[in-house]
Amino acid sequence: MSISNTPSLLAFLLFVLLISGFEASAGPRRSLLRSLGDGPDLHDAAVDLNSSNFDRVLKESPAAFAVVEFFAHWCPACRNYKPHYEKVARLFNGPDAPHPGIVIMTRVDCAMKMNTNLCDRFSVGHYPMLLWGPPPKFASGKWDPKQGKSEIQSIDDARTADRLLNWINKRVGSSFKLDDEKYENENTLLRNDSDPEQIARAIYDVEEATAGAFDIILEHKMIKSDTQAPLIKFFQLLVTHHPSKRCRRGSAEILVDFDNLWPSDLFSVDSQETNILQERDRLKSYSICGKEVPRGYWIFCRGSKNDTRGFSCGLWVLLHSLSVRVADGESHLAFTAICDFIHNFFICEECRRHFYDMCSSASGPFKTTRDLSLWLWSTHNKVNERLMKEEKALETGDPRFPKVIWPPEQLCPSCYLSSISKRTGTNQVDWNEDEVFKFLVQYYGKTLVSSYKDAILSRNISDELVADDITTSTNAVAVPLAAAMAIAFASCAFGALACFWRTQQKNRKQRKNRG
């Protein structure tokens, strides 16, 4: 480097030092690029859609609202608008977004020939053009500016990032800011004690918890020779009664290939290291709840702090949903499957021990769905009452979502016969258990799955839904041969549909292998 370049180098180094100081003074976790504007290393936050994925992505989105930008890549105004749109998209899209699961920000390039009909569907007459509405309304929908009432509407004031965010804030009833960081300005957190319909969005958190539990099991190598049978029983419960259809399918795909994924020689000491590597390779193609899950964020179960709610909330919702979906004759087998799953695969030692102690002290066997549902509800309240005291003493709870005896009276007034406040800060409630059971069935059954268009409980499943589940799943339930004898009775007890499905799929796979 020549001497003449030295002043330039010194000036550059001084600039870097000044910038570093600016970043440090901006406060913890403040992004330098967020402070200065968009940087070249930031990936696009907005989701690129086209005619092949537009309907599917928006139909399956957990977000309550969607923004679709129609643009053309050759349009100078569109290129200049992109940084503004990206600033807002980073607030809502992806696991690192400050406010995920509320708005999905997307874009469609109308200059691509494959998108011509899609852009015509939404009467795109200028670039960029922004539309707003519920994601399912865009899927297979259309928009015409001349039509009357429509849930899809044009965003008419979005020339800058500030103006677009202000427009969104008015529609959502929020006060988001462009410099919000994660777990800041959480004024739209769901309050599950005030609106029973909000449980419908928990279906996405149930999927997240299911995928998370499976990942933990794999990460900690918890599948051993003595834990295979409990895991298979729980998978069978998921295949038949999980509230999410894609989790039922994903569980079935894993279950049908269980012996191939975890053969008996996997657990031999001599070849354990090699087998672990082979296991990882085999599992790369399996997604228990679909390729989009885990998404990396929570919606109904989102806490106001990073270390509260989330996975434990999603897992509880899953267990409650399973408890109300099983039939009377399956209730005790479901109880055993749930207890054994927590005992063998829940990574929190103290939580696992407490839960299994309550399983061991349960008076059984459970003969009805009501018995199982009320036992799990009572157990959950006992856990909440214990944690309520600990979190209050240690100040470790979520200030926005403190533990409560559930359901609160405003959510189910008929569940309460009387309530007396205790010195410990909790209430002693005289419950109307018939009303509690009705509430649980509605809340964790029909309402939970309503957003997933899967509201028919499996005990009332129709012939059309049976056919749909059989024909649209690549694999279905087939009991692994190595474990079949030990759990044959349990596997068939989770419904006639599951047994029929297992038999058909087993025969189908064998015929395919012979061919």
Side-chain angles (χ1 to χ4, degrees):
M1 180 179 291
S2 64
I3 299 296
S4 60
N5 288 333
T6 302
S8 299
L9 176 61
L10 291 175
F12 174 75
L13 292 174
L14 180 60
F15 174 76
V16 170
L17 289 173
L18 287 172
I19 290 301
S20 300
F22 176 78
E23 182 178 12
S25 64
R29 297 180 63 81
R30 290 291 178 187
S31 167
L32 175 62
L33 290 174
R34 175 73 64 83
S35 302
L36 296 180
D38 293 339
D41 295 332
L42 289 179
H43 64 83
D44 288 351
V47 179
D48 287 309
L49 300 179
N50 55 54
S51 59
S52 68
N53 65 3
F54 184 88
D55 289 348
R56 177 183 60 80
V57 170
L58 290 171
K59 182 179 180 181
E60 296 179 358
S61 172
F65 305 98
V67 177
V68 181
E69 178 199 10
F70 295 94
F71 74 103
H73 62 262
W74 50 258
C75 166
C78 298
R79 291 197 299 269
N80 293 336
Y81 183 66
K82 182 177 179 180
H84 293 278
Y85 194 72
E86 281 293 314
K87 284 181 181 179
V88 180
R90 289 190 197 106
L91 290 177
F92 300 110
N93 285 9
D96 296 323
H99 310 294
I102 300 171
V103 181
I104 179 172
M105 305 283 292
T106 69
R107 59 164 62 99
V108 175
D109 186 355
C110 293
M112 296 178 63
K113 289 185 178 181
M114 68 181 300
N115 294 330
T116 299
N117 292 336
L118 176 60
C119 295
D120 287 344
R121 263 173 54 189
F122 293 93
S123 306
V124 178
H126 63 273
Y127 304 130
M129 187 181 92
L130 273 63
L131 295 181
W132 164 274
K137 295 298 179 180
F138 282 99
S140 303
K142 60 182 180 179
W143 179 78
D144 186 339
K146 298 178 182 179
Q147 70 186 40
K149 292 183 178 180
S150 173
E151 292 188 66
I152 297 176
Q153 53 186 299
S154 173
I155 301 179
D156 53 9
D157 187 14
R159 295 186 63 183
T160 66
D162 284 306
R163 291 168 72 168
L164 173 57
L165 185 57
N166 286 338
W167 194 96
I168 292 174
N169 279 333
K170 291 177 183 178
R171 295 303 184 280
V172 178
S174 59
S175 56
F176 298 139
K177 299 176 182 177
L178 290 174
D179 62 351
D180 282 349
E181 295 288 343
K182 204 166 185 179
Y183 299 104
E184 288 183 353
N185 197 14
E186 296 281 14
N187 56 7
T188 62
L189 281 174
L190 296 176
R191 298 309 303 265
N192 61 353
D193 59 351
S194 59
D195 183 2
E197 294 304 315
Q198 288 181 353
I199 187 65
R201 301 190 68 202
I203 188 68
Y204 302 104
D205 291 344
V206 169
E207 293 177 338
E208 195 79 6
T210 304
F214 187 56
D215 287 345
I216 290 172
I217 290 171
L218 298 179
E219 181 182 348
H220 291 272
K221 305 176 183 64
M222 303 175 79
I223 303 177
K224 306 179 186 303
S225 57
D226 60 337
T227 62
Q228 280 185 301
L231 183 59
I232 291 170
K233 283 200 295 184
F234 193 72
F235 270 134
Q236 290 165 342
L237 180 60
L238 297 184
V239 168
T240 312
H241 294 300
H242 198 291
S244 162
K245 181 181 290 186
R246 59 182 159 204
C247 291
R248 294 199 298 271
R249 290 177 179 172
S251 301
E253 290 175 357
I254 294 172
L255 193 55
V256 77
D257 286 333
F258 197 93
D259 278 342
N260 295 328
L261 293 170
W262 294 281
S264 56
D265 61 355
L266 179 70
F267 308 103
S268 63
V269 177
D270 295 337
S271 58
Q272 192 166 10
E273 185 174 346
T274 303
N275 285 331
I276 288 173
L277 295 175
Q278 292 175 348
E279 176 189 7
R280 289 176 181 171
D281 291 338
R282 286 192 296 264
L283 288 168
K284 286 180 180 178
S285 60
Y286 290 88
S287 301
I288 194 169
C289 290
K291 295 180 180 180
E292 297 82 7
V293 184
R295 302 175 183 88
Y297 59 87
W298 305 92
I299 301 177
F300 176 83
C301 288
R302 180 176 169 86
S304 63
K305 299 194 300 183
N306 183 46
D307 57 351
T308 59
R309 306 191 79 220
F311 177 71
S312 59
C313 167
L315 188 59
W316 273 116
V317 177
L318 170 61
L319 297 182
H320 283 296
S321 177
L322 294 173
S323 75
V324 301
R325 290 169 66 88
V326 299
D328 286 344
E330 305 167 333
S331 56
H332 195 74
L333 292 166
F335 164 77
T336 303
I338 290 171
C339 290
D340 287 348
F341 177 79
I342 297 297
H343 180 62
N344 287 284
F345 300 106
F346 197 66
I347 200 68
C348 171
E349 177 62 31
E350 183 179 1
C351 305
R352 175 170 57 186
R353 179 170 49 81
H354 279 297
F355 190 89
Y356 201 70
D357 285 346
M358 288 185 283
C359 288
S360 301
S361 61
S363 58
F366 297 113
K367 296 181 179 181
T368 65
T369 308
R370 181 182 186 276
D371 292 341
L372 175 61
S373 301
L374 291 178
W375 174 83
L376 188 64
W377 158 76
S378 176
T379 297
H380 196 170
N381 269 339
K382 289 176 183 177
V383 171
N384 276 358
E385 194 163 2
R386 176 175 58 82
L387 292 178
M388 204 183 305
K389 299 173 185 177
E390 295 178 2
E391 292 179 355
K392 183 177 181 180
L394 299 172
E395 297 182 348
T396 56
D398 191 321
R400 289 287 300 275
F401 298 95
K403 294 289 189 297
V404 296
I405 299 302
W406 199 89
E409 192 166 4
Q410 61 265 39
L411 197 58
C412 182
S414 61
C415 293
Y416 285 68
L417 294 176
S418 64
S419 177
I420 302 174
S421 298
K422 297 162 65 176
R423 292 183 179 180
T424 58
T426 61
N427 291 337
Q428 183 175 345
V429 180
D430 184 12
W431 296 98
N432 183 333
E433 292 191 346
D434 288 336
E435 291 299 314
V436 171
F437 177 61
K438 291 179 183 178
F439 171 81
L440 294 173
V441 171
Q442 181 67 34
Y443 194 78
Y444 289 114
K446 298 176 182 178
T447 308
L448 174 64
V449 299
S450 63
S451 66
Y452 209 69
K453 295 181 175 61
D454 191 19
I456 303 175
L457 296 182
S458 56
R459 73 188 65 172
N460 294 322
I461 203 160
S462 65
D463 293 338
E464 290 80 4
L465 188 54
V466 171
D468 177 66
D469 270 351
I470 292 174
T471 56
T472 58
S473 176
T474 57
N475 287 311
V477 188
V479 180
L481 291 174
M485 295 304 294
I487 56 170
F489 175 72
S491 67
C492 287
F494 285 125
L497 170 61
C499 280
F500 172 76
W501 204 6
R502 281 193 291 274
T503 303
Q504 292 293 313
Q505 202 60 33
K506 190 79 172 179
N507 294 336
R508 185 182 305 172
K509 187 171 184 180
Q510 290 173 350
R511 287 196 300 269
K512 183 177 180 181
N513 291 337
R514 286 196 298 267

